[in-house]
Amino acid sequence: MNKSLFQSTLLVLGVLLLASCAKISIKDGLQAYDELRYTDAIDHLERGLAKVDDEEGRRALAASYLETNQFASAVETYGILASSPSNTDEDRINYGRALMATGDYANAEEIFDGILSREPGNEVAQALRSSCRRIEEYKADSSRFDIKPLSSGMDAAYAPFAFGSGIYFSAEKEGVGEEDKYTGLKFTDLYFADVSNGTMGNPQPVEEVNDKYHDGIAVVSDDQQTMILTRSNYERKSRLSANAEGINVTQLYISSKDGEGKWSEPQLLPFCDENYMYAHPALSADGKTLYFSSDLQGGFGGMDLYKTTMNDQGVWEKPMNLGSDLNTPGNELFPSLRSDDSLYFSSNAHETLGGLDMMYSVNQGGNWNGPFHLPYPMNTAADDFAISFIDGSDLGYFSSDRTGDDQIYSFEETEQIFTLDGLVTSKTSGNPIEGAKIIITNITDGTEEIINSDDVGMFELDLLPGKDYRIRAEKEGYFSINEEVSTKNKPNGENIDVNLALLELSNPDGTADNGDGNGDGNGDGNGDGNGDGNGDGNGDGNGDGNGDGNGVPDGMNPNKPYEIPNIHWDYNKWDIRPDAQPYLDYVAKLLKDNPDLKVEIGSHCDSRGSNYFNEQLSDRRAKAVSEYLVRKGVRRSMLISRGYGETRLVNNCSDGVDCTEDQHQDNRRTEFTVLNQ
């Protein structure tokens, strides 16, 4: 063999050897990724991908970066994958998450837009795109919370649980314990530390419950006798057990205090299953309802929120998923209770600034509403999680990796008061209405308060900051009305004024309200009387100026038509004109504020054209109005649409009568009638 051929052969063998080693590294990296050993996966995959390209390996590397919060590296790696034909929507969502975590919301929104153009029903993409669009709104309430770091002296500290004058928390300490193969970090232990004047005392390990592997993320019962904590699952004292996929998962353990005030050896809760993850306990005040996070089969994806209840025999019942209102295809983690009907948790698939964000839900009638997002700076583009309130206060603690490592922060929700100054009046006369029932609903969490207007129609109430409210006024003899106000993005102490003008129903005795003049009424009365009969004529005669027909001036009469102002139609057309939309919007609001009504939408034509043509045309006009109202939020079941053709002219412009265009226009109208039910 000549020298050059020998050198070429060595070169080829060297390249093949390098490629073989690279493929082994990628194979080892993929196995580590499948076993959730993300740090090992990154090490193997980076070495392998430096020599050969492998799309599956690059996808696992990008996801491993994301799981270990190396967001800049995740952005770079997902960016490479973005040009691949096999790039999936899961890749794209993860790419968007990484961009959000780096603060690049504009490019993240573009990615979510692309996903939704192909898959409009993708719930995670919908929520995250909405987050990108509302980022300035989320950051606007920064004055509500005063936040301070709470130094623990640990490499990482998180999941605080406020207890008495201090906190339990989970932590890793340099040089203490073995290394977790999944994270490459030390195993965590449970600690307790006193907190005074915003300073943490020397943390002490809870020796009775700490062991060789992960111990922490605990909750203690109100009577201080029971602790439930998250712990690595043990096969034996010195060995971790593994599930069917070869992965060690955490489980929930319970410990009780003995007569000397020491915690007992933790015992596995009986409903746990080593094939699934159980973590992050939260306990009700009576100690009989336990909330936690798990990836149990049959959930909505990732980790979901569950609860279990202790029965009369002292046995924990089968865990129940909290449902799709709270759980998503992403992860819902770290539940905590501020009260038995106020549940806080973190999620990465509801609306979020990036990563895990803290939010809460309020239980009403057995259902959890919301969830409602906590504003910046409680939430950031980083992971923010595991909030805990000090009993009966606006003070508490949470954890975040906003500085690069998990650390604990204290917070205080500052007092901000907004005064709602309200006035209830008659829409007809402008006079104040005494004794109207005012229902103020906090839309943000579903709570409500009821007060009454005073003798001059006024009411006043303090509102909380950062909330949306619905103000509803009800009074017998009037249509109800709603108005919405918000204390978001408003300076502290600002007064909010609202005027609720109620529209009177017709008087029960059939006479019109007096007081607004009889001149117009008599004129309209004679006209309508000749056209539609004496009943309408007398009603309009006494009422227009005082009311249409048997009611008030601007009012509506059950079983009598009320013309929607300025809803007219172009000749031979059924398109809703722009000048008609504000009036239809008013009708939509009136109907939404009075959801028990049943309404007929009736449309009419002028006399030109055949009877059949006009019937069809008026029917299309009525349907167009109904569809417009439905698009504005009116329930379709409230509406009946009907076309009357030219059968109900309001003037003498019948066939063969020479009339002006304005006179014909008067006949091309739409009315609605409140039906008795």
Side-chain angles (χ1 to χ4, degrees):
M1 182 181 296
N2 64 41
K3 183 177 180 181
S4 62
L5 180 60
F6 178 72
Q7 289 175 333
S8 298
T9 301
L10 287 179
L11 179 61
V12 170
L13 289 173
V15 170
L16 291 174
L17 182 61
L18 286 173
S20 177
C21 291
K23 289 180 179 179
I24 291 172
S25 292
I26 291 172
K27 180 181 178 182
D28 290 343
L30 290 172
Q31 181 176 344
Y33 174 75
D34 289 339
E35 294 176 357
L36 312 185
R37 295 185 286 113
Y38 300 118
T39 302
D40 288 346
I42 290 170
D43 182 54
H44 290 301
L45 292 169
E46 283 181 339
R47 283 190 279 114
L49 290 169
K51 299 178 178 66
V52 298
D53 190 27
D54 184 279
E55 191 166 287
E56 186 180 2
R58 195 171 300 282
R59 179 172 288 109
L61 178 61
S64 297
Y65 284 140
L66 193 62
E67 290 289 347
T68 55
N69 292 350
Q70 300 179 58
F71 298 119
S73 296
V75 166
E76 180 181 357
T77 310
Y78 277 120
I80 297 171
L81 285 171
S83 60
S84 169
S86 64
N87 194 34
T88 67
D89 278 348
E90 182 179 0
D91 295 332
R92 297 181 184 98
I93 285 176
N94 285 339
Y95 188 15
R97 289 189 197 278
L99 286 166
M100 291 177 69
T102 62
D104 189 351
Y105 296 101
N107 282 319
E109 183 181 344
E110 285 187 17
I111 289 173
F112 300 134
D113 277 338
I115 295 171
L116 292 170
S117 68
R118 296 182 299 275
E119 188 186 350
N122 190 308
E123 296 176 12
V124 176
Q126 287 174 349
L128 295 180
R129 181 181 67 174
S130 178
S131 301
C132 293
R133 291 177 172 178
R134 299 177 61 190
I135 194 65
E136 294 306 319
E137 176 186 338
Y138 283 146
K139 290 185 174 182
D141 288 325
S142 59
S143 63
R144 281 182 56 197
F145 293 91
D146 182 21
I147 295 174
K148 296 178 181 177
L150 193 63
S151 177
S152 64
M154 304 289 186
D155 288 355
Y158 62 97
F161 174 71
F163 185 81
S165 61
I167 55 172
Y168 286 95
F169 64 97
S170 304
E172 305 161 11
K173 191 173 184 179
E174 186 177 359
V176 176
E178 297 184 12
E179 188 176 282
D180 183 354
K181 66 178 181 179
Y182 298 109
T183 65
L185 305 173
K186 298 293 182 181
F187 285 105
T188 58
D189 279 334
L190 185 66
Y191 289 81
F192 181 82
D194 286 312
V195 180
S196 178
N197 297 321
T199 301
M200 184 187 292
N202 185 31
Q204 298 298 314
V206 186
E207 299 287 3
E208 306 99 293
V209 302
N210 288 330
D211 214 313
K212 189 176 180 180
Y213 302 109
H214 282 303
D215 303 284
I217 316 179
V219 62
V220 178
S221 62
D222 280 7
D223 64 9
Q224 306 181 28
Q225 299 304 301
T226 302
M227 173 188 289
I228 298 177
L229 67 152
T230 310
R231 207 180 202 205
S232 297
N233 194 29
Y234 292 99
E235 182 178 293
R236 293 192 299 271
K237 192 71 174 175
S238 59
R239 181 177 175 182
L240 293 171
S241 63
N243 64 14
E245 297 176 352
I247 298 171
N248 175 257
V249 293
T250 60
Q251 305 280 279
L252 294 175
Y253 286 74
I254 187 167
S255 175
S256 302
K257 275 191 177 178
D258 60 22
E260 297 179 358
K262 299 291 186 180
W263 292 110
S264 65
E265 174 67 24
Q267 301 297 312
L268 182 69
L269 284 172
F271 58 79
C272 290
D273 181 337
E274 68 177 13
N275 289 306
Y276 301 101
M277 184 85 72
Y278 295 77
H280 315 157
L283 198 59
S284 63
D286 64 5
K288 293 185 177 181
T289 303
L290 176 66
Y291 298 87
F292 60 91
S293 185
S294 178
D295 62 352
L296 275 166
Q297 188 175 12
F300 294 91
M303 297 284 282
D304 280 0
L305 299 176
Y306 286 82
K307 78 170 184 177
T308 176
T309 304
M310 182 183 291
N311 63 26
D312 293 339
Q313 288 73 45
V315 177
W316 292 106
E317 297 181 341
K318 182 180 178 181
M320 180 179 69
N321 191 293
L322 293 191
S324 60
D325 288 338
L326 300 189
N327 292 313
T328 68
N331 291 320
E332 281 66 52
L333 306 165
F334 299 98
S336 67
L337 289 166
R338 186 175 186 179
S339 63
D340 282 350
D341 61 357
S342 183
L343 179 69
Y344 285 71
F345 63 96
S346 291
S347 173
N348 67 354
H350 285 290
E351 293 191 8
T352 164
L353 276 73
L356 289 171
D357 272 17
M358 297 179 290
M359 50 202 67
Y360 70 95
S361 177
V362 176
N363 193 297
Q364 289 188 307
N367 296 313
W368 293 102
N369 62 11
F372 310 106
H373 187 268
L374 292 182
Y376 179 88
M378 294 293 283
N379 285 315
T380 65
D383 285 334
D384 306 288
F385 57 100
I387 190 171
S388 178
F389 284 85
I390 298 172
D391 286 344
S393 76
D394 293 324
L395 307 172
Y397 310 95
F398 70 99
S399 43
S400 174
D401 69 351
R402 60 188 64 188
T403 60
D405 296 311
D406 290 335
Q407 294 297 335
I408 296 173
Y409 295 79
S410 65
F411 70 87
E412 179 179 5
E413 189 170 6
T414 57
E415 182 74 10
Q416 289 181 300
I417 297 298
F418 297 85
T419 301
L420 174 69
D421 289 323
L423 176 65
V424 187
T425 60
S426 163
K427 183 174 177 62
T428 304
S429 66
N431 294 330
I433 297 176
E434 178 183 358
K437 180 181 179 181
I438 313 299
I439 305 168
I440 299 98
T441 302
N442 183 335
I443 302 172
T444 308
D445 62 21
T447 57
E448 70 178 32
E449 189 164 349
I450 299 175
I451 56 178
N452 293 302
S453 59
D454 63 18
D455 58 351
V456 291
M458 299 187 70
F459 61 93
E460 181 179 293
L461 189 73
D462 290 337
L463 304 180
L464 296 173
K467 309 292 184 184
D468 294 319
Y469 289 90
R470 180 183 301 110
I471 318 299
R472 180 175 177 85
E474 299 177 353
K475 175 74 173 179
E476 186 175 355
Y478 295 83
F479 286 104
S480 301
I481 191 171
N482 294 327
E483 293 290 344
E484 293 189 1
V485 300
S486 178
T487 58
K488 292 180 177 178
N489 309 328
K490 292 184 180 295
N492 188 20
E494 179 176 308
N495 281 16
I496 299 173
D497 297 321
V498 60
N499 189 347
L500 302 169
L502 303 188
L503 194 64
E504 289 93 333
L505 292 163
S506 61
N507 290 337
D509 62 2
T511 61
D513 275 349
N514 293 319
D516 277 342
N518 295 318
D520 287 345
N522 292 331
D524 282 348
N526 293 333
D528 279 352
N530 294 331
D532 293 334
N534 293 331
D536 277 355
N538 293 333
D540 279 347
N542 294 327
D544 218 16
N546 304 314
D548 269 291
N550 295 328
V552 295
D554 302 325
M556 294 177 294
N557 306 292
N559 292 321
K560 293 186 182 295
Y562 166 70
E563 183 176 345
I564 305 174
N566 295 324
I567 307 300
H568 297 296
W569 305 90
D570 292 333
Y571 181 61
N572 281 357
K573 298 277 184 72
W574 61 88
D575 303 293
I576 293 175
R577 302 190 320 204
D579 61 341
Q581 293 178 8
Y583 301 94
L584 288 178
D585 291 345
Y586 166 79
V587 173
K589 175 174 173 51
L590 190 64
L591 296 179
K592 288 190 291 183
D593 289 347
N594 298 272
D596 294 332
L597 294 180
K598 188 83 171 182
V599 173
E600 179 192 285
I601 301 296
S603 283
H604 306 267
C605 295
D606 61 32
S607 61
R608 294 173 291 183
S610 70
N611 290 339
Y612 176 77
F613 177 83
N614 284 336
E615 286 174 6
Q616 297 298 309
L617 179 61
S618 63
D619 186 61
R620 292 189 182 100
R621 288 173 175 173
K623 283 183 170 61
V625 171
S626 294
E627 290 303 317
Y628 183 93
L629 295 175
V630 169
R631 289 196 300 273
K632 289 295 180 178
V634 177
R635 295 198 317 273
R636 192 179 297 276
S637 60
M638 297 176 65
L639 304 174
I640 296 174
S641 62
R642 186 165 295 160
Y644 288 95
E646 59 181 272
T647 62
R648 296 188 178 183
L649 304 176
V650 296
N651 52 35
N652 294 322
C653 295
S654 56
D655 290 335
V657 177
D658 186 19
C659 289
T660 66
E661 180 57 33
D662 285 344
Q663 290 173 312
H664 285 304
Q665 175 71 92
D666 289 340
N667 288 317
R668 299 195 302 270
R669 70 198 188 280
T670 294
E671 302 165 329
F672 73 89
T673 304
V674 179
L675 304 174
N676 281 340
Q677 299 183 62

